[in-house]
Amino acid sequence: MRALVQRVSRARVLVDGRTVGEIGRGLLVFLGVGAGDGERDVEWIARKIVGLRIFEDERGRFEHSVEEVGGGLLVVSQFTLFADTRKGRRPSFSGAAEPREAERLYRACLEAFERLGLPPASGLFGARMQVELTNDGPVTVWLDSRAS
């Protein structure tokens, strides 16, 4: 399971021009589910994101998690995080999970965030979405449960 995490001052997701998820200060998480991912990947990535200390203290050091600063969480499914560009010019997505399994694990991840005390806003799985954000920093972190 992969996640591209961005610290934001605001973010929202639109589907057909309608806002389906929105946060102020917090983390925008693009989440991709890979073939072979399971519950352990869900738990690892949810705990890692909730505990990730990428909010600054008064000295400008990364000391606080999203939970500690009272921030929001916006999670957007994105299978393209599994793009393989090693051959040719068109990316292959053969490393991504099949849609049915990806949706199951994506929803499990949303539930894991909620269990961890951070109920997320979210995009709409499988929909064509427009994502608007203001990256704060910029701060962007790449996570891969298989690289842990």
Side-chain angles (χ1 to χ4, degrees), residues 103-121:
E103 183 172 12
R104 184 183 77 77
L105 291 174
Y106 168 74
R107 294 194 183 289
C109 201
L110 296 178
E111 292 169 8
F113 286 125
E114 198 158 333
R115 279 194 312 276
L116 294 169
L118 203 58

mmCIF file with all atom_site columns, all heavy atoms in Angstrom, residues 103-121:
data_model
loop_
_atom_site.group_PDB
_atom_site.id
_atom_site.type_symbol
_atom_site.label_atom_id
_atom_site.label_alt_id
_atom_site.label_comp_id
_atom_site.label_asym_id
_atom_site.label_entity_id
_atom_site.label_seq_id
_atom_site.pdbx_PDB_ins_code
_atom_site.Cartn_x
_atom_site.Cartn_y
_atom_site.Cartn_z
_atom_site.occupancy
_atom_site.B_iso_or_equiv
_atom_site.pdbx_formal_charge
_atom_site.auth_seq_id
_atom_site.auth_comp_id
_atom_site.auth_asym_id
_atom_site.auth_atom_id
_atom_site.pdbx_PDB_model_num
ATOM 1   N N   . GLU A 1 103 ? -11.018 -1.368 -3.445 1.00 0.00 ? 103 GLU A N   1
ATOM 2   C CA  . GLU A 1 103 ? -12.078 -0.633 -2.738 1.00 0.00 ? 103 GLU A CA  1
ATOM 3   C C   . GLU A 1 103 ? -12.280 -1.189 -1.333 1.00 0.00 ? 103 GLU A C   1
ATOM 4   O O   . GLU A 1 103 ? -12.444 -0.433 -0.380 1.00 0.00 ? 103 GLU A O   1
ATOM 5   C CB  . GLU A 1 103 ? -13.397 -0.681 -3.517 1.00 0.00 ? 103 GLU A CB  1
ATOM 6   C CG  . GLU A 1 103 ? -14.476 0.137  -2.830 1.00 0.00 ? 103 GLU A CG  1
ATOM 7   C CD  . GLU A 1 103 ? -15.730 0.273  -3.651 1.00 0.00 ? 103 GLU A CD  1
ATOM 8   O OE1 . GLU A 1 103 ? -15.889 -0.446 -4.660 1.00 0.00 ? 103 GLU A OE1 1
ATOM 9   O OE2 . GLU A 1 103 ? -16.577 1.115  -3.272 1.00 0.00 ? 103 GLU A OE2 1
ATOM 10  N N   . ARG A 1 104 ? -12.226 -2.504 -1.191 1.00 0.00 ? 104 ARG A N   1
ATOM 11  C CA  . ARG A 1 104 ? -12.389 -3.111 0.140  1.00 0.00 ? 104 ARG A CA  1
ATOM 12  C C   . ARG A 1 104 ? -11.291 -2.619 1.088  1.00 0.00 ? 104 ARG A C   1
ATOM 13  O O   . ARG A 1 104 ? -11.573 -2.206 2.222  1.00 0.00 ? 104 ARG A O   1
ATOM 14  C CB  . ARG A 1 104 ? -12.346 -4.640 0.031  1.00 0.00 ? 104 ARG A CB  1
ATOM 15  C CG  . ARG A 1 104 ? -12.594 -5.342 1.357  1.00 0.00 ? 104 ARG A CG  1
ATOM 16  C CD  . ARG A 1 104 ? -12.471 -6.843 1.238  1.00 0.00 ? 104 ARG A CD  1
ATOM 17  N NE  . ARG A 1 104 ? -11.101 -7.290 1.175  1.00 0.00 ? 104 ARG A NE  1
ATOM 18  C CZ  . ARG A 1 104 ? -10.259 -7.378 2.202  1.00 0.00 ? 104 ARG A CZ  1
ATOM 19  N NH1 . ARG A 1 104 ? -10.661 -7.038 3.412  1.00 0.00 ? 104 ARG A NH1 1
ATOM 20  N NH2 . ARG A 1 104 ? -9.029  -7.811 2.053  1.00 0.00 ? 104 ARG A NH2 1
ATOM 21  N N   . LEU A 1 105 ? -10.048 -2.617 0.626  1.00 0.00 ? 105 LEU A N   1
ATOM 22  C CA  . LEU A 1 105 ? -8.948  -2.197 1.498  1.00 0.00 ? 105 LEU A CA  1
ATOM 23  C C   . LEU A 1 105 ? -8.922  -0.684 1.699  1.00 0.00 ? 105 LEU A C   1
ATOM 24  O O   . LEU A 1 105 ? -8.529  -0.203 2.759  1.00 0.00 ? 105 LEU A O   1
ATOM 25  C CB  . LEU A 1 105 ? -7.618  -2.717 0.951  1.00 0.00 ? 105 LEU A CB  1
ATOM 26  C CG  . LEU A 1 105 ? -7.471  -4.240 1.047  1.00 0.00 ? 105 LEU A CG  1
ATOM 27  C CD1 . LEU A 1 105 ? -6.199  -4.708 0.348  1.00 0.00 ? 105 LEU A CD1 1
ATOM 28  C CD2 . LEU A 1 105 ? -7.499  -4.712 2.494  1.00 0.00 ? 105 LEU A CD2 1
ATOM 29  N N   . TYR A 1 106 ? -9.345  0.059  0.694  1.00 0.00 ? 106 TYR A N   1
ATOM 30  C CA  . TYR A 1 106 ? -9.461  1.517  0.850  1.00 0.00 ? 106 TYR A CA  1
ATOM 31  C C   . TYR A 1 106 ? -10.477 1.825  1.962  1.00 0.00 ? 106 TYR A C   1
ATOM 32  O O   . TYR A 1 106 ? -10.211 2.622  2.853  1.00 0.00 ? 106 TYR A O   1
ATOM 33  C CB  . TYR A 1 106 ? -9.905  2.129  -0.482 1.00 0.00 ? 106 TYR A CB  1
ATOM 34  C CG  . TYR A 1 106 ? -10.334 3.568  -0.414 1.00 0.00 ? 106 TYR A CG  1
ATOM 35  C CD1 . TYR A 1 106 ? -9.406  4.594  -0.276 1.00 0.00 ? 106 TYR A CD1 1
ATOM 36  C CD2 . TYR A 1 106 ? -11.685 3.918  -0.489 1.00 0.00 ? 106 TYR A CD2 1
ATOM 37  C CE1 . TYR A 1 106 ? -9.799  5.922  -0.223 1.00 0.00 ? 106 TYR A CE1 1
ATOM 38  C CE2 . TYR A 1 106 ? -12.094 5.236  -0.445 1.00 0.00 ? 106 TYR A CE2 1
ATOM 39  C CZ  . TYR A 1 106 ? -11.150 6.229  -0.307 1.00 0.00 ? 106 TYR A CZ  1
ATOM 40  O OH  . TYR A 1 106 ? -11.552 7.537  -0.242 1.00 0.00 ? 106 TYR A OH  1
ATOM 41  N N   . ARG A 1 107 ? -11.617 1.163  1.927  1.00 0.00 ? 107 ARG A N   1
ATOM 42  C CA  . ARG A 1 107 ? -12.638 1.377  2.974  1.00 0.00 ? 107 ARG A CA  1
ATOM 43  C C   . ARG A 1 107 ? -12.134 0.895  4.342  1.00 0.00 ? 107 ARG A C   1
ATOM 44  O O   . ARG A 1 107 ? -12.414 1.517  5.364  1.00 0.00 ? 107 ARG A O   1
ATOM 45  C CB  . ARG A 1 107 ? -13.948 0.691  2.597  1.00 0.00 ? 107 ARG A CB  1
ATOM 46  C CG  . ARG A 1 107 ? -14.583 1.307  1.371  1.00 0.00 ? 107 ARG A CG  1
ATOM 47  C CD  . ARG A 1 107 ? -16.016 0.896  1.139  1.00 0.00 ? 107 ARG A CD  1
ATOM 48  N NE  . ARG A 1 107 ? -16.513 1.472  -0.077 1.00 0.00 ? 107 ARG A NE  1
ATOM 49  C CZ  . ARG A 1 107 ? -16.797 2.757  -0.268 1.00 0.00 ? 107 ARG A CZ  1
ATOM 50  N NH1 . ARG A 1 107 ? -16.633 3.600  0.723  1.00 0.00 ? 107 ARG A NH1 1
ATOM 51  N NH2 . ARG A 1 107 ? -17.232 3.205  -1.434 1.00 0.00 ? 107 ARG A NH2 1
ATOM 52  N N   . ALA A 1 108 ? -11.392 -0.177 4.354  1.00 0.00 ? 108 ALA A N   1
ATOM 53  C CA  . ALA A 1 108 ? -10.808 -0.662 5.612  1.00 0.00 ? 108 ALA A CA  1
ATOM 54  C C   . ALA A 1 108 ? -9.844  0.372  6.180  1.00 0.00 ? 108 ALA A C   1
ATOM 55  O O   . ALA A 1 108 ? -9.758  0.566  7.404  1.00 0.00 ? 108 ALA A O   1
ATOM 56  C CB  . ALA A 1 108 ? -10.098 -1.997 5.388  1.00 0.00 ? 108 ALA A CB  1
ATOM 57  N N   . CYS A 1 109 ? -9.146  1.057  5.305  1.00 0.00 ? 109 CYS A N   1
ATOM 58  C CA  . CYS A 1 109 ? -8.201  2.086  5.754  1.00 0.00 ? 109 CYS A CA  1
ATOM 59  C C   . CYS A 1 109 ? -8.975  3.283  6.343  1.00 0.00 ? 109 CYS A C   1
ATOM 60  O O   . CYS A 1 109 ? -8.578  3.826  7.371  1.00 0.00 ? 109 CYS A O   1
ATOM 61  C CB  . CYS A 1 109 ? -7.319  2.517  4.588  1.00 0.00 ? 109 CYS A CB  1
ATOM 62  S SG  . CYS A 1 109 ? -5.787  3.281  5.117  1.00 0.00 ? 109 CYS A SG  1
ATOM 63  N N   . LEU A 1 110 ? -10.071 3.667  5.704  1.00 0.00 ? 110 LEU A N   1
ATOM 64  C CA  . LEU A 1 110 ? -10.896 4.750  6.259  1.00 0.00 ? 110 LEU A CA  1
ATOM 65  C C   . LEU A 1 110 ? -11.388 4.370  7.657  1.00 0.00 ? 110 LEU A C   1
ATOM 66  O O   . LEU A 1 110 ? -11.381 5.189  8.580  1.00 0.00 ? 110 LEU A O   1
ATOM 67  C CB  . LEU A 1 110 ? -12.094 5.045  5.343  1.00 0.00 ? 110 LEU A CB  1
ATOM 68  C CG  . LEU A 1 110 ? -11.784 5.573  3.936  1.00 0.00 ? 110 LEU A CG  1
ATOM 69  C CD1 . LEU A 1 110 ? -13.076 5.760  3.143  1.00 0.00 ? 110 LEU A CD1 1
ATOM 70  C CD2 . LEU A 1 110 ? -10.975 6.857  3.981  1.00 0.00 ? 110 LEU A CD2 1
ATOM 71  N N   . GLU A 1 111 ? -11.787 3.105  7.826  1.00 0.00 ? 111 GLU A N   1
ATOM 72  C CA  . GLU A 1 111 ? -12.251 2.630  9.136  1.00 0.00 ? 111 GLU A CA  1
ATOM 73  C C   . GLU A 1 111 ? -11.114 2.624  10.158 1.00 0.00 ? 111 GLU A C   1
ATOM 74  O O   . GLU A 1 111 ? -11.320 2.928  11.329 1.00 0.00 ? 111 GLU A O   1
ATOM 75  C CB  . GLU A 1 111 ? -12.868 1.239  8.992  1.00 0.00 ? 111 GLU A CB  1
ATOM 76  C CG  . GLU A 1 111 ? -14.162 1.235  8.213  1.00 0.00 ? 111 GLU A CG  1
ATOM 77  C CD  . GLU A 1 111 ? -14.638 -0.164 7.847  1.00 0.00 ? 111 GLU A CD  1
ATOM 78  O OE1 . GLU A 1 111 ? -14.047 -1.154 8.329  1.00 0.00 ? 111 GLU A OE1 1
ATOM 79  O OE2 . GLU A 1 111 ? -15.594 -0.259 7.053  1.00 0.00 ? 111 GLU A OE2 1
ATOM 80  N N   . ALA A 1 112 ? -9.923  2.274  9.697  1.00 0.00 ? 112 ALA A N   1
ATOM 81  C CA  . ALA A 1 112 ? -8.752  2.262  10.601 1.00 0.00 ? 112 ALA A CA  1
ATOM 82  C C   . ALA A 1 112 ? -8.453  3.675  11.107 1.00 0.00 ? 112 ALA A C   1
ATOM 83  O O   . ALA A 1 112 ? -8.160  3.866  12.289 1.00 0.00 ? 112 ALA A O   1
ATOM 84  C CB  . ALA A 1 112 ? -7.537  1.672  9.897  1.00 0.00 ? 112 ALA A CB  1
ATOM 85  N N   . PHE A 1 113 ? -8.542  4.656  10.230 1.00 0.00 ? 113 PHE A N   1
ATOM 86  C CA  . PHE A 1 113 ? -8.319  6.046  10.669 1.00 0.00 ? 113 PHE A CA  1
ATOM 87  C C   . PHE A 1 113 ? -9.359  6.422  11.724 1.00 0.00 ? 113 PHE A C   1
ATOM 88  O O   . PHE A 1 113 ? -9.030  7.065  12.718 1.00 0.00 ? 113 PHE A O   1
ATOM 89  C CB  . PHE A 1 113 ? -8.410  7.018  9.487  1.00 0.00 ? 113 PHE A CB  1
ATOM 90  C CG  . PHE A 1 113 ? -7.230  6.970  8.559  1.00 0.00 ? 113 PHE A CG  1
ATOM 91  C CD1 . PHE A 1 113 ? -7.396  6.754  7.204  1.00 0.00 ? 113 PHE A CD1 1
ATOM 92  C CD2 . PHE A 1 113 ? -5.943  7.154  9.039  1.00 0.00 ? 113 PHE A CD2 1
ATOM 93  C CE1 . PHE A 1 113 ? -6.320  6.726  6.342  1.00 0.00 ? 113 PHE A CE1 1
ATOM 94  C CE2 . PHE A 1 113 ? -4.842  7.123  8.180  1.00 0.00 ? 113 PHE A CE2 1
ATOM 95  C CZ  . PHE A 1 113 ? -5.044  6.898  6.823  1.00 0.00 ? 113 PHE A CZ  1
ATOM 96  N N   . GLU A 1 114 ? -10.577 6.013  11.501 1.00 0.00 ? 114 GLU A N   1
ATOM 97  C CA  . GLU A 1 114 ? -11.646 6.334  12.449 1.00 0.00 ? 114 GLU A CA  1
ATOM 98  C C   . GLU A 1 114 ? -11.379 5.665  13.798 1.00 0.00 ? 114 GLU A C   1
ATOM 99  O O   . GLU A 1 114 ? -11.510 6.294  14.844 1.00 0.00 ? 114 GLU A O   1
ATOM 100 C CB  . GLU A 1 114 ? -12.994 5.892  11.883 1.00 0.00 ? 114 GLU A CB  1
ATOM 101 C CG  . GLU A 1 114 ? -14.145 6.560  12.563 1.00 0.00 ? 114 GLU A CG  1
ATOM 102 C CD  . GLU A 1 114 ? -15.397 6.562  11.713 1.00 0.00 ? 114 GLU A CD  1
ATOM 103 O OE1 . GLU A 1 114 ? -15.304 6.518  10.474 1.00 0.00 ? 114 GLU A OE1 1
ATOM 104 O OE2 . GLU A 1 114 ? -16.462 6.608  12.323 1.00 0.00 ? 114 GLU A OE2 1
ATOM 105 N N   . ARG A 1 115 ? -10.975 4.405  13.780 1.00 0.00 ? 115 ARG A N   1
ATOM 106 C CA  . ARG A 1 115 ? -10.643 3.691  15.029 1.00 0.00 ? 115 ARG A CA  1
ATOM 107 C C   . ARG A 1 115 ? -9.497  4.368  15.771 1.00 0.00 ? 115 ARG A C   1
ATOM 108 O O   . ARG A 1 115 ? -9.427  4.339  16.991 1.00 0.00 ? 115 ARG A O   1
ATOM 109 C CB  . ARG A 1 115 ? -10.256 2.237  14.743 1.00 0.00 ? 115 ARG A CB  1
ATOM 110 C CG  . ARG A 1 115 ? -11.400 1.294  14.549 1.00 0.00 ? 115 ARG A CG  1
ATOM 111 C CD  . ARG A 1 115 ? -10.955 -0.162 14.623 1.00 0.00 ? 115 ARG A CD  1
ATOM 112 N NE  . ARG A 1 115 ? -9.795  -0.481 13.825 1.00 0.00 ? 115 ARG A NE  1
ATOM 113 C CZ  . ARG A 1 115 ? -9.815  -0.778 12.521 1.00 0.00 ? 115 ARG A CZ  1
ATOM 114 N NH1 . ARG A 1 115 ? -10.947 -0.799 11.868 1.00 0.00 ? 115 ARG A NH1 1
ATOM 115 N NH2 . ARG A 1 115 ? -8.700  -1.064 11.880 1.00 0.00 ? 115 ARG A NH2 1
ATOM 116 N N   . LEU A 1 116 ? -8.595  4.978  15.010 1.00 0.00 ? 116 LEU A N   1
ATOM 117 C CA  . LEU A 1 116 ? -7.442  5.651  15.605 1.00 0.00 ? 116 LEU A CA  1
ATOM 118 C C   . LEU A 1 116 ? -7.771  7.069  16.062 1.00 0.00 ? 116 LEU A C   1
ATOM 119 O O   . LEU A 1 116 ? -6.888  7.824  16.472 1.00 0.00 ? 116 LEU A O   1
ATOM 120 C CB  . LEU A 1 116 ? -6.271  5.675  14.611 1.00 0.00 ? 116 LEU A CB  1
ATOM 121 C CG  . LEU A 1 116 ? -5.688  4.296  14.290 1.00 0.00 ? 116 LEU A CG  1
ATOM 122 C CD1 . LEU A 1 116 ? -4.727  4.373  13.108 1.00 0.00 ? 116 LEU A CD1 1
ATOM 123 C CD2 . LEU A 1 116 ? -4.979  3.709  15.512 1.00 0.00 ? 116 LEU A CD2 1
ATOM 124 N N   . GLY A 1 117 ? -9.042  7.427  15.974 1.00 0.00 ? 117 GLY A N   1
ATOM 125 C CA  . GLY A 1 117 ? -9.486  8.722  16.493 1.00 0.00 ? 117 GLY A CA  1
ATOM 126 C C   . GLY A 1 117 ? -9.433  9.868  15.506 1.00 0.00 ? 117 GLY A C   1
ATOM 127 O O   . GLY A 1 117 ? -9.515  11.031 15.907 1.00 0.00 ? 117 GLY A O   1
ATOM 128 N N   . LEU A 1 118 ? -9.280  9.539  14.229 1.00 0.00 ? 118 LEU A N   1
ATOM 129 C CA  . LEU A 1 118 ? -9.184  10.589 13.220 1.00 0.00 ? 118 LEU A CA  1
ATOM 130 C C   . LEU A 1 118 ? -10.132 10.275 12.050 1.00 0.00 ? 118 LEU A C   1
ATOM 131 O O   . LEU A 1 118 ? -9.701  9.830  10.981 1.00 0.00 ? 118 LEU A O   1
ATOM 132 C CB  . LEU A 1 118 ? -7.734  10.686 12.733 1.00 0.00 ? 118 LEU A CB  1
ATOM 133 C CG  . LEU A 1 118 ? -7.291  11.986 12.112 1.00 0.00 ? 118 LEU A CG  1
ATOM 134 C CD1 . LEU A 1 118 ? -7.484  13.159 13.066 1.00 0.00 ? 118 LEU A CD1 1
ATOM 135 C CD2 . LEU A 1 118 ? -5.847  11.902 11.696 1.00 0.00 ? 118 LEU A CD2 1
ATOM 136 N N   . PRO A 1 119 ? -11.420 10.492 12.258 1.00 0.00 ? 119 PRO A N   1
ATOM 137 C CA  . PRO A 1 119 ? -12.370 10.181 11.183 1.00 0.00 ? 119 PRO A CA  1
ATOM 138 C C   . PRO A 1 119 ? -12.069 11.032 9.938  1.00 0.00 ? 119 PRO A C   1
ATOM 139 O O   . PRO A 1 119 ? -12.003 12.254 10.042 1.00 0.00 ? 119 PRO A O   1
ATOM 140 C CB  . PRO A 1 119 ? -13.736 10.547 11.764 1.00 0.00 ? 119 PRO A CB  1
ATOM 141 C CG  . PRO A 1 119 ? -13.505 11.120 13.098 1.00 0.00 ? 119 PRO A CG  1
ATOM 142 C CD  . PRO A 1 119 ? -12.057 11.054 13.421 1.00 0.00 ? 119 PRO A CD  1
ATOM 143 N N   . PRO A 1 120 ? -11.862 10.375 8.802  1.00 0.00 ? 120 PRO A N   1
ATOM 144 C CA  . PRO A 1 120 ? -11.418 11.127 7.625  1.00 0.00 ? 120 PRO A CA  1
ATOM 145 C C   . PRO A 1 120 ? -12.581 11.602 6.746  1.00 0.00 ? 120 PRO A C   1
ATOM 146 O O   . PRO A 1 120 ? -13.636 10.990 6.693  1.00 0.00 ? 120 PRO A O   1
ATOM 147 C CB  . PRO A 1 120 ? -10.603 10.083 6.868  1.00 0.00 ? 120 PRO A CB  1
ATOM 148 C CG  . PRO A 1 120 ? -11.293 8.796  7.169  1.00 0.00 ? 120 PRO A CG  1
ATOM 149 C CD  . PRO A 1 120 ? -11.795 8.921  8.585  1.00 0.00 ? 120 PRO A CD  1
ATOM 150 N N   . ALA A 1 121 ? -12.331 12.699 6.042  1.00 0.00 ? 121 ALA A N   1
ATOM 151 C CA  . ALA A 1 121 ? -13.146 13.030 4.877  1.00 0.00 ? 121 ALA A CA  1
ATOM 152 C C   . ALA A 1 121 ? -12.548 12.216 3.743  1.00 0.00 ? 121 ALA A C   1
ATOM 153 O O   . ALA A 1 121 ? -11.412 11.754 3.829  1.00 0.00 ? 121 ALA A O   1
ATOM 154 C CB  . ALA A 1 121 ? -13.053 14.518 4.601  1.00 0.00 ? 121 ALA A CB  1
#
